[in-house]
Amino acid sequence: MSQTDMTKADKKAKNELRDTIVVIIEALLIALVFRTFLYQPFSIPTASMQSTLMIGDYFVASKFTWGLGKYSFPIPVPLGDRILQLSTPQQGDIAVFHNEPTGEDYVKRIIGLPGDKVQMKEGRLYINGTMLEREQIGTGTDVDSYSTPLPVTLYRETLPNGVTHTIQEVSDDQPLDDTAEYTVPSGHYFMMGDNRDRSADSRVLRQVGYVPATNLIGKGEFRFFSIKDNIAPWQVWQWPANVRWDRMFQSVYTPITHTPT
């Protein structure tokens, strides 16, 4: 090979390396933009939203529906209010939010809007002085992240705006089944888990409390994967016996009428 041919080969190799690096950078930027402004995946490590979201469920949250807040970005941005907001959160929406007392991202259901009064009495939920309708739809066994099983009763609960969702209760005399009346401050939301007796939520003021609007990260949309026992998804050899195929590619608002195991 002549010196000229070697020079051309070197230039070609350098150009190919440069092009590869550019493609990788572009792909990373596209992924970052997609995750920041459009959709972000999350997993469920705890039992607080069962049976709506089970331990081992993976779901996508919309970032643009409620606009962007302080914790919508990879690094928190000190925003005073939400930006690019298309709509406001409603009762019954499933929300991903940053919980400042623990420094973690939580997933709960929005129960109280700014100005609402929320209270639990003997296991029943009251909003603005009215007890919510609750219909028993079945029984099941709940298993938490420590593999502790408990029998539960499933109910269909109806919110004041007509939205229905499934909750589960161990009983109506658990520690958070009787509370003081909470008044949701302006610009804040009251969150509760669907697994009412196994959820640390806005009922526990020091651990969660009222969630500022700017701490909302996204609105839950749909499950795209689900596996038992919180097994890592990359362990494909575990899939045949452990993937919950019937929970995949479903809206997180699809009614649940039983407790999967």
Side-chain angles (χ1 to χ4, degrees):
M1 180 181 295
S2 67
Q3 186 65 36
T4 301
D5 291 339
M6 292 179 63
T7 301
K8 289 181 178 179
D10 288 342
K11 287 183 178 180
K12 182 179 179 181
K14 290 179 180 178
N15 290 337
E16 289 177 349
L17 177 60
R18 181 197 62 195
D19 291 344
T20 300
I21 293 173
V22 169
V23 168
I24 292 173
I25 292 174
E26 289 176 344
L28 291 174
L29 288 174
I30 291 172
L32 179 61
V33 169
F34 187 88
R35 181 183 183 278
T36 300
F37 295 100
L38 298 177
Y39 294 99
Q40 182 175 345
F42 294 92
S43 62
I44 300 296
T46 70
S48 69
M49 280 296 291
Q50 295 183 156
S51 57
T52 304
L53 290 169
M54 302 289 293
I55 295 172
D57 278 355
Y58 289 75
F59 73 101
V60 167
S62 164
K63 302 289 286 292
F64 58 88
T65 301
W66 298 334
L68 304 177
K70 179 179 180 180
Y71 294 100
S72 299
F73 303 88
I75 299 175
V77 177
L79 296 174
D81 202 354
R82 302 191 71 78
I83 59 174
L84 305 177
Q85 185 167 324
L86 299 180
S87 66
T88 57
Q90 302 297 314
Q91 286 176 330
D93 289 345
I94 294 175
V96 182
F97 62 94
H98 186 78
N99 185 47
E100 290 184 337
T102 62
E104 300 173 306
D105 294 340
Y106 279 17
V107 182
K108 308 287 182 185
R109 191 180 296 272
I110 296 177
I111 295 298
L113 303 178
D116 281 343
K117 297 182 183 299
V118 181
Q119 187 173 16
M120 295 293 296
K121 297 179 183 179
E122 298 179 344
R124 301 300 298 273
L125 176 59
Y126 289 72
I127 297 181
N128 297 324
T130 301
M131 183 174 69
L132 269 56
E133 179 183 343
R134 189 184 76 171
E135 175 190 2
Q136 183 175 338
I137 57 174
T139 58
T141 301
D142 182 63
V143 179
D144 64 13
S145 53
Y146 298 99
S147 299
T148 305
L150 277 177
V152 292
T153 303
L154 276 70
Y155 298 94
R156 181 180 294 112
E157 187 175 74
T158 303
L159 293 166
N161 61 358
V163 171
T164 62
H165 61 279
T166 302
I167 64 170
Q168 57 184 43
E169 297 265 13
V170 175
S171 71
D172 284 337
D173 59 0
Q174 297 297 302
L176 293 176
D177 281 335
D178 286 279
T179 70
E181 184 178 73
Y182 307 92
T183 300
V184 186
S186 175
H188 291 69
Y189 294 90
F190 195 92
M191 309 289 187
M192 292 180 68
D194 290 351
N195 194 359
R196 289 287 166 79
D197 297 324
R198 282 183 157 182
S199 174
D201 46 43
S202 290
R203 293 173 289 178
V204 187
L205 294 178
R206 291 186 177 181
Q207 188 171 349
V208 181
Y210 310 112
V211 177
T214 191
N215 284 24
L216 298 176
I217 296 173
K219 178 184 176 182
E221 293 292 353
F222 66 91
R223 291 184 295 269
F224 63 90
F225 190 72
S226 182
I227 192 166
K228 297 177 183 178
D229 302 322
N230 228 8
I231 295 170
W234 55 266
Q235 296 181 6
V236 294
W237 59 89
Q238 302 259 30
W239 285 20
N242 295 292
V243 168
R244 303 185 188 104
W245 301 101
D246 61 333
R247 293 181 64 82
M248 293 169 60
F249 306 110
Q250 285 186 345
S251 166
V252 297
Y253 303 100
T254 299
I256 302 294
T257 57
H258 66 287
T259 304
T261 57

